[in-house]
Amino acid sequence: MKQELDYTRGAKPLYAQLYDILLNKLKSGEYKKNDVLPTEAEFEERFGVSRITARRALAELVAKGFVKRQAGIGTMVISTSEKQGIKTRISLVDGQQQAPITRKNLAIKFVQPPESIAALFGVKGRAPLQYLTRIICRENDAPAQVNYIWLTPRLGTLTLDDVEKGLYSAFEERNENIDAYQDIITAGLPDEEDCRILSIDPAVPLLIKTRKGFNDRGELVEYTIAKHIANYYQYIVENSR
């Protein structure tokens, strides 16, 4: 028997509703430590949601430290209380955090990657990978960030139309949604391409975030180099529940 979710206008997203239900089951003791949760297919039958919705709700539980995914076993409960964690974010520092953000995809094409990136994706012979270039800026403002994004061959051939509604939406549609990621923050100066896209001088410092994004199978989906004009942003680390 399907448990009803709220489909009315203005209701929480379905994945968030499913997350709340599972969280209540954990806190009430219905699911205990070392229990294995139902599969995505079982959630699909029980709640009438898509597997993408079920996967996203489970990813939220993983991120909060309640469960872990273990090959050959499934999704196992490791805690019934939320763990304290470290949260990081990059935010604007010029008092215009509420200004609308515009993302513009400039180009997506096949490019031969550097050897180090080819190795990360397991590409042999340095075969070309899809390479997305996009800029991010506030509405009616100059670009403040440029992203160079290498994509897994498992996505197939993408067009700018495919990523117009969001890169992660394109991932989910192809069963390659991001389940975990690793960010590395460094600083540096722009190269010639950065200067051209961002319209900046070669002496302008950049905050550079390199991201590896993985699917729920532990496979690399994206390798992103995001270059922010440093005086627009601050990097914040928070220790909270």
Side-chain angles (χ1 to χ4, degrees):
M1 180 179 178
K2 293 180 181 177
Q3 186 168 343
E4 292 297 326
L5 300 178
D6 186 355
Y7 289 84
T8 60
R9 188 173 183 178
K12 277 187 176 182
L14 294 181
Y15 84 88
Q17 293 185 48
L18 180 55
Y19 169 83
D20 288 343
I21 291 171
L22 297 178
L23 184 60
N24 286 335
K25 290 180 182 293
L26 286 166
K27 292 185 174 180
S28 70
E30 183 172 342
Y31 293 145
K32 298 178 175 61
K33 188 173 181 179
N34 296 326
D35 283 352
V36 176
L37 298 186
T39 65
E40 292 171 4
E42 290 171 325
F43 280 128
E44 184 178 20
E45 173 64 26
R46 188 174 303 181
F47 296 97
V49 298
S50 69
R51 294 198 183 189
I52 289 176
T53 296
R55 189 175 302 128
R56 188 166 179 184
L58 290 172
E60 291 290 324
L61 290 176
V62 171
K64 296 291 187 180
F66 291 108
V67 301
K68 68 176 180 179
R69 288 173 173 170
Q70 192 165 335
I73 296 178
T75 304
M76 178 180 291
V77 178
I78 57 176
S79 176
T80 56
S81 61
E82 188 173 346
K83 293 183 177 179
Q84 188 173 10
I86 301 296
K87 298 179 181 179
T88 65
R89 57 190 171 94
I90 294 177
S91 67
L92 296 166
V93 296
D94 56 3
Q96 298 191 47
Q97 286 87 341
Q98 303 306 314
I101 296 295
T102 300
R103 291 175 173 83
K104 182 179 180 181
N105 299 310
L106 301 181
I108 186 167
K109 56 186 177 181
F110 282 92
V111 176
Q112 188 178 60
E115 289 184 9
S116 59
I117 293 177
L120 289 173
F121 284 100
V123 174
K124 297 181 179 179
R126 294 188 64 190
L129 291 172
Q130 284 189 105
Y131 184 69
L132 172 65
T133 306
R134 71 180 182 185
I135 56 174
I136 298 178
C137 56
R138 289 187 302 280
E139 192 173 20
N140 301 320
D141 206 350
Q145 178 187 156
V146 59
N147 296 164
Y148 305 107
I149 307 171
W150 298 94
L151 300 169
T152 175
R154 294 187 304 276
L155 292 166
T157 300
L158 297 176
T159 67
L160 288 177
D161 287 341
D162 291 327
V163 297
E164 182 63 29
K165 294 181 180 179
L167 184 59
Y168 281 18
S169 293
F171 290 167
E172 288 193 359
E173 289 173 358
R174 291 159 178 79
N175 196 31
E176 292 288 346
N177 52 304
I178 299 299
D179 185 67
Y181 62 84
Q182 177 194 73
D183 286 347
I184 297 176
I185 307 294
T186 58
L189 293 175
D191 59 25
E192 185 176 340
E193 182 74 352
D194 303 330
C195 291
R196 182 185 67 80
I197 293 175
L198 296 173
S199 298
I200 56 175
D201 185 270
V204 173
L206 298 177
L207 183 65
I208 304 171
K209 180 177 75 175
T210 303
R211 167 168 291 190
K212 297 176 186 176
F214 302 90
N215 62 23
D216 59 1
R217 302 179 297 279
E219 300 165 326
L220 187 65
V221 178
E222 64 159 324
Y223 183 89
T224 297
I225 303 171
K227 298 188 177 183
H228 309 68
I229 299 176
N231 64 346
Y232 286 176
Y233 292 92
Q234 62 184 349
Y235 178 60
I236 300 171
V237 179
E238 297 175 333
N239 188 340
S240 60
R241 290 189 179 275

